Amino acid sequence: MGLKQRIPFLRWSVWRMATGARNITTTGQIGDGREAAAVAYVLKNAKADDIDDVLAAIDRFAYEKSLLINVGDEKGKLLDAAVRRADPKLALELGTYCGYGALRIARAAPAAKVYSVELAEANAVNAREIWAHAGVADRVTCVVGTIGDGGRTLETLATEHGFTAGALDFLFLDHDKDAYLTDLQSIVDRGWLHPGSIVVADNVKVPGAPKYREYMRRQQGTLWNTNEHKAHLEYQSLISDLVLESEYLG
């Protein structure tokens, strides 16, 4: 099946994913083993040290085997373009899952150090395997934790990974949608962003991040300059989604 061919949303793997919604919020995984299966598929079918082939294998698995909840190939192109505009030296992702988003960031910004914060140790293990297979383990790092854990993860980023005032060029939000706004505000409060830093938020329509979207609308032209990109929910064509790309004005 060609990756450009959009497929209907009503797939057995999607129904199984829907039944695992509670698992996603507590464990970071759907609960039917698809994440581990995706890693095994990549290691078996993708060329080592080839980011393009690893990303293509993840997309192929999501189309042909079981749906994955990473940003996907269609919205991934929007992510790629935003990363290239930011031209980051330091990039941060919230929500690692299987490592796909961070891999796209690393490909679009070959000189960047990429950090990804993930609540689930199992996801971190999976992502690290994929990054090592793609040959980018030296510049993509997973930090297990959450921004909302009382400052522990923020302190780890600051003290161990060089997050200082004005150092963060690019931020990708793809984790708990209810945490988008509070986590962004925590990062802003740290002073890590600089004028021109770019923040991309996935799934703003589905599952939805209404408080985040409303905040960006209120701050348009003052603190942020935001473009809303229309797209589809990952790996299908029937349900629309929004990706927000916001430039920090400072």
Side-chain angles (χ1 to χ4, degrees):
M1 180 184 297
L3 294 186
K4 293 182 180 179
Q5 179 182 349
R6 299 273 162 228
I7 58 178
F9 189 72
L10 302 179
R11 298 166 53 190
W12 172 238
S13 66
V14 177
W15 291 121
R16 293 183 68 184
M17 184 180 73
T19 64
R22 183 172 297 176
N23 286 329
I24 294 169
T25 59
T26 57
T27 69
Q29 296 190 346
I30 293 164
D32 60 3
R34 71 180 68 192
E35 293 86 6
V39 176
Y41 182 89
V42 168
L43 298 183
K44 179 179 179 181
N45 294 285
K47 298 174 187 174
D49 300 322
D50 188 329
I51 299 180
D52 292 341
D53 207 46
V54 169
L55 285 167
I58 297 171
D59 287 332
R60 198 159 56 244
F61 179 91
Y63 276 115
E64 299 176 0
K65 305 294 183 181
S66 295
L67 189 76
L68 298 173
I69 56 171
N70 45 245
V71 65
D73 56 338
E74 180 193 4
K75 291 184 292 183
K77 293 182 177 66
L78 297 171
L79 174 62
D80 297 347
V83 172
R84 288 192 293 267
R85 278 189 282 275
D87 190 22
K89 296 297 182 289
L90 182 65
L92 177 63
E93 172 188 55
L94 304 185
T96 309
Y97 193 47
C98 294
Y100 179 95
L103 201 55
R104 291 197 82 112
I105 295 169
R107 181 177 66 174
K113 291 290 291 184
V114 182
Y115 291 88
S116 186
V117 173
E118 169 58 43
L119 70 89
E121 178 66 36
N123 282 341
V125 170
N126 286 340
R128 289 169 185 145
E129 281 197 73
I130 284 179
W131 297 337
H133 191 72
V136 298
D138 60 330
R139 58 190 183 92
V140 185
T141 301
C142 187
V143 176
V144 177
T146 68
I147 299 301
D149 62 6
R152 290 187 299 275
T153 297
L154 289 168
E155 278 301 305
T156 297
L157 291 170
T159 60
E160 298 181 21
H161 300 299
F163 281 69
T164 58
L168 183 57
D169 307 304
F170 185 84
L171 173 63
F172 180 39
L173 305 175
D174 196 18
H175 60 316
D176 178 0
K177 315 312 165 190
D178 292 335
Y180 277 16
L181 181 55
T182 55
D183 287 357
L184 174 64
Q185 289 173 329
S186 294
I187 289 168
V188 170
D189 289 346
R190 286 265 168 164
W192 289 349
L193 301 179
H194 58 80
S197 293
I198 290 179
V199 179
V200 170
D202 189 22
N203 300 122
V204 174
K205 184 174 182 180
V206 179
K211 291 180 181 178
Y212 180 87
R213 187 182 186 191
E214 177 57 30
Y215 166 79
M216 285 301 180
R217 285 179 165 177
R218 290 198 313 268
Q219 299 295 332
Q220 179 68 16
T222 54
L223 196 58
W224 298 93
N225 182 30
T226 298
N227 290 316
E228 296 191 351
H229 299 285
K230 293 180 180 180
H232 297 94
L233 200 63
E234 42 269 25
Y235 302 118
Q236 55 77 51
S237 62
L238 296 182
I239 295 182
S240 61
D241 197 5
L242 284 173
V243 174
L244 266 57
E245 178 185 347
S246 303
E247 180 183 351
Y248 186 59
L249 303 179

